[in-house]
Every structure is written in structure tokens, then in C-alpha cells.
Amino acid sequence: MAGQEQQQPQSRDTEVDEDIPATPAPPEGQASAATQGVDDLLDEIDGVLESNAEEFVRAFVQKGGQ
Amino acid sequence: MTAGPSAVSGGLPVGGAMRVMGSETEYGIHAPSAPGANATMMSARVIQAYAQVTRQRAAGGAEMRWDYTDEEPLHDARGWTLERSAATPEQLTDRPPVLDAEAIALAYGRAELDHDGEDESGSLLMNMVLGNGARLYVDHAHPEYSSPEVTNPRDAVTWDAAGDLVALAAVRRLAGDPELPPINLYKNNTDNKSVSYGSHENYLMPRSVPFGEIARGLTPFFITRQIMCGAGRVGLGQDSSRPGYQISQRADFFETEVGLETTIRRPIINTRDEPHATADKYRRLHVIIGDANLSQAANFLKFGSTAMVLSLIEAGLAPRVDVHEPVGALQAVSHDTSLTATLRLLDGRRVTALDLQWMYFEAAAKLAQDTGVADAVDGDGHTHAVLERWSATLTELDSDRAAAASTVEWLAKLSLLEGYRQRDGLQWSDARLGLVDLQWSDIRPEKGLYHRLLARDRMQRIVDDEAIARAVSEPPSDTRAFFRGRCVSRFGTDLVGASWDSVIFDLPGRGKLQRVPTREPLRGTEALTGGLFARHHEAGPFLAELLGLPPGS
């Protein structure tokens, strides 16, 4: 969904904590600490994700609940 | 005090975020190495595994079948002086019968049941009451943890998170058993293939509040509170057939405005009315519309803001707004991650979800200030924190979404998904994004993506880890869950069971069961019964002193 585009004003960028990624990725070239943090995070998560995403997701079939 | 009927308080301050409440979590269950495994059987193995961890056999187990099917014998067994209250057998049967051990044996063969040598009857455990006052059992095809009753949103978060540790302990136990396939549990609400399972909230209310007022006051709030406490979902539609991302796990599964069902034609307002307490005084409001939350802050706001809206309704001060076509509005809000879509009100106004939440916030803040519970120093100790977080979250959602991503679960998940989309150029239909969504909710800290973010302090904690770990075995001190939990921990071998409103003893040498009703949720507290537990370490003398007390405790 492309709904992320109507975004909040960027005027508070200077207040953004460096640990917290902006929801829409910042423009390229803005190699901030936040971007680096996201890259590190994704690298870590690459190593945690179940292998064969398609098969894993397909096999997750639940019976009804409330 | 201008707030609603004092009867609701039962001793709790009225007008704010305090009330008797609790959570229920049905976990998604999956054994990757055993595709097609029977879900009820796997769920029973989870309960069994936790029983092995705690050895809290006595308060649950296959012996609990009286709870569901042998009501009459139990009824005959009560004959005892405290049992003059208006209990009906139905009130013990808070769920339809689950598939019991005998039925499983018929369907799958006795050999399936004999894997646990400790269980002399060869039957599978389907139901436990835990030392923290919670219930752990098989609900349909999922393991479910129902938290003990608590009095405030912070404790709701604590004992809900403790349930995730209970589930984790069972998963670990199963993973260590070479004869059984490992089982994963997920704190989510859909398989994205048309099936949803619930995460429910319960709130105690005075019976005197008309149900129509509750439904009217809550509906606009429930349509929009997801922007603060939705858990996020990849895929649109019940079967996720349309690519995209939405705010709520549950929204697409709701089909009607008000109703009794919880598994089909799910209603925004559920009318199930089992108070598990003195029925002429209380109503237990059963809320089925929420997402399961891993984010502590989101969970805190879910319970805290909802409790405050109920206080508004009780005081007759809920905002007078009626949303046109509530079910469609619920889904429109969920599908609009920009938070700019407008909803039509019956009076013709068009407002955003944020506008509606601000209306509720302002009304709730005013009532809390008028009643004095919101004061940072002299208030009730909880409402101030709820209001602070509620307004901060709405402000951030409006103008600083990066900051909101450390508390608002759907935004935290979205930021991770957007990271993948940017880095790898993935479309919303890509299976890896579906996997991120699913694995977000894996309860194992090393595999669950929420937990990976928590470990990096990208998600805020509002309860420290030690408090959650304690809540795995310790009951809340200020509700009847204290009595229930302590009875289980202390006298487990002398109990045949416990339910929300009773604890049932079976003492050696006595011909009949002795049932202690606990129909007042704010009795049975540590303040009222702590001394009794301190004085007695054996069930016989304990019961003798207890039964010497006036009824009603």
C-alpha cells in the first residue's frame, strides 16, 4: 500500500532519536545513524527468519478460534 | 465525587482507569516438522508440557471434566453451608465442552495418549489453574491463557506478558522432548487464510448500566482505538488475498455491530454475559475486537483507555457520536495507515480516527480530573499515567510517527517491513513480508521479531522483566486471584479444581467436595486472606478456619 506518502511534516527531524527508524525510509544519501541502525537490524533479522519463507507461511494454517 | 454508581468500585476509585479486568490470549500453534498435526492434540500437549514444568497437576487436568460435563454430581456434592448462594451449574461451565481426552482417544487411538508416563489415567490434560491465578487450557484448537483478575492496566500488562512466559516454558519443554515435534506458538490473531482467533479483554461493570448505553458509547471508540493498539497485519481481506498492510489483525473478521457470537459473524460489541461474579451486581464486559499485543505500551493503552471509556459510560458522559456503518468504518480505519481517512457521523460531520480518539480522550481526562483520580500525586496511581500516554500517543501519531514506532505496535512492525521493502525491493505480496508479519509474534525471544526489537531497546518497556517473571508464579495481591492462586500453590494436591468463582477442595477422608465460592472479585485479596495462608500450611485446618468465617469471603 502506498498510503505512507501523506506524511507528517519533517520539521521535527532534528528531534528524532537516532535509535528509532523513520517509518518511511529516509531519502537515499541521508546516511544517518538511523539508517545504519535499520541496516544492522535487518542483518540480524535475516539470520533469525525461518528459511523458505513461502513454504513456512503457507504451512501456517490454523483452525478456527474465537 | 460526580462519577457513576459507587457499586462498581467495590472499593476501587471510580472515574478513571482502575477496575477489575483481565485478558485472554489464544495462541496460534504450529509444528513445522509435523504438518497436518491435530491442533487440539498439539494444544493439549502444550498444557501437558506446562504441567510437567510446574507439576501443578492437582488443580486441573483431565479430572476437571466435571467442570464441563458432570455438573449434576458436583451439584450433589455441594451441600455445604456456604453453598446457599445463587450459583447455577451453568456458571461453572464457562465454555462449551472442549474435545476431551476420551474423544481424542476414540479419534486417534489410545496409544496417542500414553506418551506421558506420569499420567496414570492415560488422558491428556486440557485445563489447568495456575499458581498466579490464571487459567491455561485448550480452547477449541488453540492453547489459551486467561490472565488472573487485576485492578489496573499496568497489572493487566504484567500478567498478560506473564502468559507469554508460561507459553514459552511449555514450548521449551516440548523442544527438549526428543519424541515429540517442536511446537511454535504465536501471539497473533490470524493465519491470513480466513481464520482468526481471539485476544479478549474482560472488564467488570455494574449491572445497572444499560447495555444499550455501553454499546453506543463503545462503538466509535472501538472503531478507532486500533490506531493506538493495533498489532499490524500484512494483507487485506480475511484471506489476505489483496496485497497491502493494515493497522489491525482483527478488523477484517468483524461482520456485525452487536451480537452473541465470538467465532462466526463476529460483532464489534459482544453480548456474552457471564459475570463470573454476583450476577445481580456485576456485568463482565467481554471485548473481542482487540488485537493480541506484544508491545507493552500498546497493551497498556488498550486496557487503560478502554477502562476509562467505561468510566465515562457509567457516568453518562461518553461523547455523543454515532458512526455511520460501523463495520465498514472499522475496516476503513484499519486499511488507512496514513490516518487521514474520514468517517461519517450520523449528524453529518466527517472526522478522522484521530479526531474521534481526541474526543474520547478529552472527555475521559475531564471526568478523571473532576473525580480527582487523575492527580499525579493524590490520584489513584494509574489514571495519570494512562492519560499521559494516551495524549502522547495521539500527538505522535499525528506529527511524529518515528517516535510512535517504539510504542505503537503496528507502526513498529511497519517500520521493519518498510526496511525490507526498501532494502530488497519487495512487493507487499512477497512471502518474506508475510513471514516477517508471522514471525513478529513468535513468543521465543531468539526467534520473535518483536523480541529482537525489544532486545535493542527499539520497543519501550513499561514493566520490568523481573516483575513479569514474578507474575508467572505470583498472583495479583488485590483480587480474588490471590486466594485462587495461593490455594493452587499451597494446597494443590487437595484441590480438584478451581474456576473464576470457586475453589474446590477434596480432602482425604472426607466424603464430599468442599466448594469455596469466590463471587466477589475484590475479596480474597492478600489483605483479607494473607493471614490465613500464613497461619496454615495444611488444607484441613485452613478450611476449618475459613469456613468458620462469615459467608461471602
Side-chain angles (χ1 to χ4, degrees):
Chain A
M1 212 153 70
Q4 282 309 302
E5 266 52 60
Q6 303 126 325
Q7 267 313 316
Q8 68 277 7
Q10 297 297 307
S11 60
R12 302 178 74 175
D13 268 0
T14 51
E15 295 171 24
V16 171
D17 187 287
E18 64 173 3
D19 281 345
I20 298 168
T23 300
E28 274 184 61
Q30 189 181 328
S32 62
T35 313
Q36 186 57 46
V38 173
D39 288 346
D40 288 351
L41 177 66
L42 295 184
D43 287 346
E44 178 192 331
I45 288 176
D46 284 340
V48 168
L49 283 177
E50 307 283 355
S51 53
N52 198 344
E54 191 150 348
E55 184 185 320
F56 197 92
V57 167
R58 189 180 337 112
F60 181 72
V61 177
Q62 299 295 292
K63 289 207 169 172
Q66 297 208 52
Chain B
M1 305 276 278
T2 61
S6 59
V8 69
S9 70
L12 296 179
V14 298
M18 293 192 76
R19 71 177 54 238
V20 174
M21 58 181 82
S23 67
E24 307 167 32
T25 303
E26 290 180 57
Y27 292 94
I29 185 165
H30 184 43
S33 63
N38 179 275
T40 303
M41 179 74 89
M42 285 197 294
S43 300
R45 282 183 173 147
V46 169
I47 314 305
Q48 190 92 347
Y50 194 68
Q52 290 167 344
V53 170
T54 66
R55 307 205 172 270
Q56 279 169 0
R57 277 295 328 266
E63 296 84 357
M64 283 282 273
R65 78 169 57 117
W66 58 264
D67 198 17
Y68 298 108
T69 57
D70 292 343
E71 312 269 13
E72 292 312 306
L74 175 67
H75 187 72
D76 293 342
R78 307 168 189 170
W80 149 79
T81 55
L82 281 188
E83 194 42 54
R84 283 183 290 111
S85 55
T88 62
E90 291 75 29
Q91 282 166 316
L92 288 174
T93 317
D94 55 312
R95 294 297 165 97
V98 294
L99 183 59
D100 67 15
E102 288 303 315
I104 290 178
L106 287 171
Y108 296 94
R110 178 63 67 177
E112 275 279 25
L113 302 173
D114 290 340
H115 64 274
D116 178 14
E118 295 172 51
D119 191 341
E120 68 285 351
S121 68
S123 57
L124 276 173
L125 197 54
M126 304 293 273
N127 196 341
M128 291 178 74
V129 181
L130 309 185
N132 71 354
R135 182 184 183 200
L136 181 69
Y137 68 115
V138 180
D139 189 4
H140 303 284
H142 302 269
E144 174 166 330
Y145 169 89
S146 297
S147 83
E149 305 89 329
V150 298
T151 61
N152 62 79
R154 185 181 171 83
D155 284 353
V157 172
T158 304
W159 269 272
D160 184 65
D164 299 344
L165 292 184
V166 166
L168 177 64
V171 164
R172 298 283 196 232
R173 175 90 189 190
L174 287 164
D177 186 334
E179 302 195 354
L180 291 175
I183 289 176
N184 298 347
L185 295 178
Y186 298 87
K187 194 179 189 182
N188 64 2
N189 299 107
T190 180
D191 67 356
N192 281 316
K193 300 168 190 71
S194 300
V195 162
S196 183
Y197 34 98
S199 153
H200 299 171
E201 303 140 64
N202 296 289
Y203 302 91
L204 201 70
M205 300 188 72
R207 171 73 52 188
S208 56
V209 180
F211 195 80
E213 289 300 299
I214 297 172
R216 186 178 181 192
L218 276 177
T219 298
F221 177 72
F222 279 172
I223 289 169
T224 53
R225 72 171 189 170
Q226 56 178 313
I227 66 174
M228 303 188 298
C229 47
R233 178 184 172 204
V234 173
L236 307 178
Q238 293 191 359
D239 61 358
S240 218
S241 57
R242 282 180 291 139
Y245 184 77
Q246 62 175 310
I247 289 172
S248 163
Q249 289 262 306
R250 288 278 271 175
D252 286 354
F253 296 93
F254 283 74
E255 299 174 21
T256 186
E257 292 170 33
V258 178
L260 187 59
E261 294 96 343
T262 57
T263 58
I264 52 163
R265 285 189 57 76
R266 292 185 185 87
I268 294 172
I269 305 291
N270 183 229
T271 55
R272 178 185 290 181
D273 186 7
E274 291 172 291
H276 298 312
T278 302
D280 54 356
K281 280 173 70 176
Y282 302 117
R283 175 194 307 286
R284 176 181 65 120
L285 183 73
H286 189 231
V287 174
I288 69 171
I289 200 170
D291 288 359
N293 283 124
L294 286 151
S295 163
Q296 295 180 9
N299 220 14
F300 178 77
L301 260 188
K302 182 171 70 183
F303 282 96
S305 65
T306 303
M308 292 194 71
V309 169
L310 296 177
S311 293
L312 280 176
I313 292 167
E314 286 164 13
L317 295 172
R320 284 291 170 192
V321 286
D322 297 287
V323 176
H324 179 67
E325 293 185 358
V327 173
L330 171 74
Q331 287 155 10
V333 170
S334 184
H335 295 184
D336 171 37
T337 56
S338 74
L339 305 185
T340 55
T342 56
L343 306 176
R344 202 171 110 206
L345 304 184
L346 292 188
D347 64 15
R349 280 181 291 168
R350 298 201 72 103
V351 296
T352 65
L354 275 165
D355 293 334
L356 272 172
Q357 279 298 309
W358 279 118
M359 283 181 215
Y360 276 93
F361 168 81
E362 279 156 16
K366 180 168 192 318
L367 173 63
Q369 275 146 20
D370 290 348
T371 51
V373 293
D375 192 273
V377 178
D378 298 324
D380 64 16
H382 297 279
T383 298
H384 180 74
V386 172
L387 287 170
E388 292 266 292
R389 192 167 282 279
W390 194 351
S391 67
T393 301
L394 294 178
T395 301
E396 288 174 0
L397 283 170
D398 194 33
S399 60
D400 189 359
R401 288 168 61 139
S406 66
T407 61
V408 175
E409 191 161 348
W410 68 269
L411 271 176
K413 186 188 283 182
L414 178 58
S415 106
L416 187 57
L417 290 161
E418 289 289 5
Y420 268 95
R421 279 163 53 77
Q422 294 280 335
R423 192 192 70 179
D424 298 342
L426 303 182
Q427 301 297 308
W428 279 115
S429 55
D430 194 287
R432 284 173 71 203
L433 298 184
L435 181 60
V436 168
D437 186 11
L438 172 59
Q439 212 172 315
W440 175 270
S441 62
D442 190 319
I443 61 165
R444 294 171 295 174
E446 72 278 14
K447 293 296 274 186
L449 305 189
Y450 160 77
H451 284 288
R452 300 320 309 148
L453 267 63
L454 183 70
R456 287 173 170 249
D457 289 329
R458 284 172 172 268
M459 300 298 298
Q460 285 184 24
R461 282 180 173 82
I462 63 168
V463 181
D464 63 52
D465 291 352
E466 293 74 21
I468 297 170
R470 268 197 309 279
V472 168
S473 51
E474 284 290 311
S477 65
D478 55 355
T479 69
R480 65 185 175 188
F482 178 82
F483 179 80
R484 180 188 315 121
R486 278 286 185 272
C487 282
V488 167
S489 299
R490 181 72 63 78
F491 306 123
T493 53
D494 297 310
L495 299 186
V496 292
S499 64
W500 299 117
D501 51 15
S502 70
V503 175
I504 301 169
F505 288 81
D506 184 11
L507 297 186
R510 304 211 185 168
K512 60 182 182 181
L513 305 179
Q514 297 207 301
R515 182 175 185 272
V516 181
T518 56
R519 299 171 59 72
E520 286 289 343
L522 291 172
R523 304 293 297 272
T525 60
E526 181 168 25
L528 290 172
T529 66
L532 195 60
F533 285 103
R535 284 191 293 279
H536 299 291
H537 290 262
E538 291 182 14
F542 173 85
L543 265 187
E545 182 177 344
L546 179 67
L547 301 188
L549 296 173
S553 48

